[in-house]
Amino acid sequence: MGDRVQPTATSVRAVNRLTERWVCGLPGPGGTVVSATSLWPLLACLQEAAGGPARDELMDATGLPATEAAGAARGFLEALGAIRGTRAAFGLWTRADLPLRADWAARLPAGTTGTITGDKTTDRMTLDGWVDDRTQGLIRRMPVDIDTSTRLVLAAAQSVRTRWLQPFFETEVVPDHGPWQGRLLLGLHRITSLLDRVAVGETPDGPVTVLKILGGTGVDVHLLLGATDMTPSQVLRHGIGALAGAGPAPVPGDRLPLGESGPGLRVSNVRGRTPEPVLEVLTVGFRVTADHDLLKAPALFGLSTASDSSHGHFPGISPDPLSVGSAGQSAVAVFDAKGFESATVTAISIMDGGMPPPPRYTVRHVEAVLDRPFGFLTVHRTSRLVLSAGWVTQPLPFPEDQE
């Protein structure tokens, strides 16, 4: 059964647009994971209350008019939390001495409301406890600075847990080329007859192989392998663009030419015991974590003016002058044989047997091998909302106790 509540097409476009902006600004080839789904609602809530240039910059980041932003944020978080396997939470903490405009607070997404005291130890315990609970222990710390000058904290948390419709088998992988050459890695292997699970898209920067791993909750993971000279930003940007139908349609596995038909792909005709085609996948398990200081690139998130502490920017929050003191995100993504799980918090703070019968059929065999750095997108299948995006540079080693 499909999800009863869906994110609107407008909010999906806006959040995916922010994700695309973010991945285009990734600083280098290192492993990372980002999620605009827990950032966009916070920016939208601030946008409605902002004034002057801060309001315009936030509008550019959210992609929505200020008059629609807070309502859209509330509806988006409600829809996000209704996606099976996904949890979403919102939190607001204020100092008791901050005069808060009741109309702004009333339009915020439903969630936790609380107070901060100004005592760093007490406040840190409160905020970190909320993070630990809302992410079920995947993240333990609120990703913003807390001190005596902090008067308000806005936070959003989002987590995803899904189990593969068809699990992988664990195996050893030792790449013979590329950055992981010679390393004993935790390989994940499986075979299916569904060739449409893989496709190759041609982009101005080079070809990108897209491998879809379907989850049981309607949340899938798309693994993205680009040409060797493509950057992480290029690979991820084209993966997100493909969700919106940008550029030529990717060529699915059953229509790919024989030979080396895309990054990590080889198509051939082989002899088989059944008439069904074969898609053989070999990839690696991974765990990626990242902490992002959003104010290192404030223009990307519409926070340049809002973080100028020389004067106030949020008359809609309080008559007291307020500015953004810190903004951060902590994120984790884990991909293994059985499924995938991720969480983000953003705050503004193989058998033996008898001899098989001889082959009877000639079938198409597509082999996909991801044994060098690659990207991934966590995608809500129905709405095509990108829940998280990341780049894998440090795959999991093969466990010593399995040798």
Side-chain angles (χ1 to χ4, degrees):
M1 182 169 57
D3 302 306
R4 291 174 294 178
V5 181
Q6 296 281 343
T8 66
T10 298
S11 62
V12 169
R13 284 195 299 269
V15 175
N16 286 1
R17 172 179 170 270
L18 182 58
T19 303
E20 187 171 359
R21 281 170 56 128
W22 198 343
V23 300
C24 285
L26 292 177
T32 194
V33 54
V34 303
S35 174
T37 57
S38 62
L39 168 61
W40 184 84
L42 301 186
L43 299 180
C45 291
L46 288 178
Q47 177 188 348
E48 185 191 47
R55 189 181 180 98
D56 295 336
E57 291 173 4
L58 285 164
M59 181 172 66
D60 179 60
T62 67
L64 290 182
T67 54
E68 302 176 11
R74 185 183 186 101
F76 176 75
L77 283 176
E78 290 174 353
L80 184 64
I83 296 174
R84 291 177 301 139
T86 298
R87 300 178 69 195
F90 180 86
L92 168 69
W93 297 264
T94 59
R95 288 276 290 270
D97 60 353
L98 176 67
L100 200 63
R101 297 198 187 277
D103 56 343
W104 177 75
R107 290 192 294 273
L108 293 176
T112 298
T113 57
T115 59
I116 48 178
T117 66
D119 181 85
K120 184 175 181 178
T121 301
T122 300
D123 293 340
R124 175 56 66 184
M125 289 178 61
T126 297
L127 298 176
D128 291 352
W130 183 87
V131 168
D132 183 72
D133 178 70
R134 297 311 189 273
T135 66
Q136 298 177 286
L138 284 173
I139 299 175
R140 299 294 180 88
R141 184 176 176 85
M142 186 72 80
V144 287
D145 296 328
I146 306 295
D147 55 33
T148 56
S149 67
T150 304
R151 304 191 70 192
L152 179 151
V153 175
L154 279 174
Q158 173 252 327
S159 63
V160 179
R161 279 183 167 87
T162 190
R163 287 292 173 260
W164 307 133
L165 292 177
Q166 179 190 356
F168 289 82
F169 293 97
E170 294 185 350
T171 187
E172 296 180 359
V173 171
V174 182
D176 59 6
H177 62 283
W180 303 338
Q181 182 176 0
R183 294 172 56 181
L184 179 60
L185 305 177
L186 176 59
L188 304 178
H189 177 265
R190 76 178 191 185
I191 295 174
T192 179
S193 62
L194 303 175
L195 300 189
D196 62 351
R197 296 291 187 262
V198 70
V200 176
E202 291 296 335
T203 79
D205 299 310
V208 176
T209 295
V210 181
L211 179 66
K212 298 179 182 179
I213 314 298
L214 272 57
T217 63
V219 174
D220 309 326
V221 175
H222 296 189
L223 303 183
L224 312 171
L225 186 67
T228 55
D229 59 348
M230 293 177 69
T231 66
S233 296
Q234 290 171 329
V235 175
L236 291 169
R237 177 166 56 87
H238 291 305
I240 296 170
L243 294 172
V251 180
D254 58 347
R255 292 169 48 197
L256 291 171
L258 298 177
E260 306 291 338
S261 54
L265 280 183
R266 180 171 180 82
V267 181
S268 60
N269 289 329
V270 301
R271 300 290 288 173
R273 295 190 298 274
T274 72
E276 294 183 337
V278 176
L279 170 59
E280 184 174 3
V281 175
L282 180 63
T283 184
V284 293
F286 62 82
R287 178 185 178 94
V288 181
T289 62
D291 294 296
H292 305 283
D293 180 351
L294 305 184
L295 295 188
K296 285 187 175 181
L300 189 62
F301 309 108
L303 296 174
S304 294
T305 298
S307 56
D308 177 4
S309 61
S310 64
H311 60 285
H313 310 284
F314 300 101
I317 294 179
S318 172
D320 289 6
L322 299 172
S323 64
V324 172
S326 63
Q329 180 177 98
S330 293
V332 59
V334 183
F335 183 106
D336 62 23
K338 296 180 179 180
F340 176 87
E341 61 181 349
S342 69
T344 60
V345 174
T346 307
I348 292 181
S349 276
I350 196 227
M351 83 178 37
D352 294 326
M355 183 69 70
R360 295 177 52 202
Y361 303 93
T362 299
V363 300
R364 172 171 287 241
H365 180 270
V366 180
E367 183 180 18
V369 178
L370 286 74
D371 60 357
R372 57 181 172 83
F374 58 87
F376 67 89
L377 303 175
T378 314
V379 180
H380 180 225
R381 191 182 308 147
T382 308
S383 68
R384 297 191 173 187
L385 171 69
V386 177
L387 299 167
S388 62
W391 188 256
V392 179
T393 60
Q394 294 296 328
L396 294 175
F398 189 81
E400 293 183 1
D401 60 0
Q402 292 189 34
E403 290 181 337

